[in-house]
Amino acid sequence: MKIEIKEQNYKQLVQCVYLGNLVINEYRKAEESKKEYSNFLDDILMQIVKAEPKAKAKFELKAIPYEKTEDNLLADLHDRIEDSIKEYYEYYCRSLFEEMLIDKLRI
């Protein structure tokens, strides 16, 4: 299957996949996590890391060679996505908390 999206919707797709995995796995214990979702997310993010052109470091230390590994680039991408979805996820958590509180008060 091939899914085509507009370039301007690419970021939204990655955010949705990231949020989906976050909602599914965040509060599960490690042994209860749905690995197929976290593996799917990691696969997508690794493809993005491999597709992005290699950026040069802002500072070059001549005595110490510096090269970002794919793991470092993947961690950086995770951080950038988390920063971009923080507002949406916090709103979701607040709304969920309020709904749960209302349900508990009705009893």
Side-chain angles (χ1 to χ4, degrees), residues 57 59-68:
F59 305 103
E60 284 190 38
L61 303 174
K62 293 181 181 183
I64 303 171
Y66 178 79
E67 185 177 325
K68 282 199 169 195

Side-chain angles (χ1 to χ4, degrees), residues 31-87:
E31 64 274 4
E32 297 173 352
S33 72
K34 301 292 184 183
K35 300 258 187 263
E36 62 272 19
Y37 291 95
S38 56
N39 291 342
F40 177 65
L41 173 64
D42 288 342
D43 183 48
I44 288 173
L45 297 182
M46 187 55 76
Q47 289 179 48
I48 292 169
V49 164
K50 289 179 178 179
E52 288 182 347
K54 301 264 186 204
K56 290 198 172 196
K58 291 180 183 176
F59 305 103
E60 284 190 38
L61 303 174
K62 293 181 181 183
I64 303 171
Y66 178 79
E67 185 177 325
K68 282 199 169 195
T69 64
E70 286 183 351
D71 289 338
N72 294 90
L73 294 169
L74 184 60
D76 290 347
L77 181 58
H78 268 276
D79 291 343
R80 288 195 323 259
I81 295 170
E82 278 186 23
D83 290 343
S84 75
I85 62 145
K86 185 178 181 179
E87 177 185 335

Side-chain angles (χ1 to χ4, degrees), residues 81-105:
I81 295 170
E82 278 186 23
D83 290 343
S84 75
I85 62 145
K86 185 178 181 179
E87 177 185 335
Y88 307 128
Y89 189 65
E90 287 176 353
Y91 179 81
Y92 167 77
C93 289
R94 268 193 316 277
S95 298
L96 183 62
F97 173 77
E98 291 168 1
E99 288 294 320
M100 292 174 69
L101 184 60
I102 289 169
D103 287 345
K104 294 284 183 191
L105 291 174

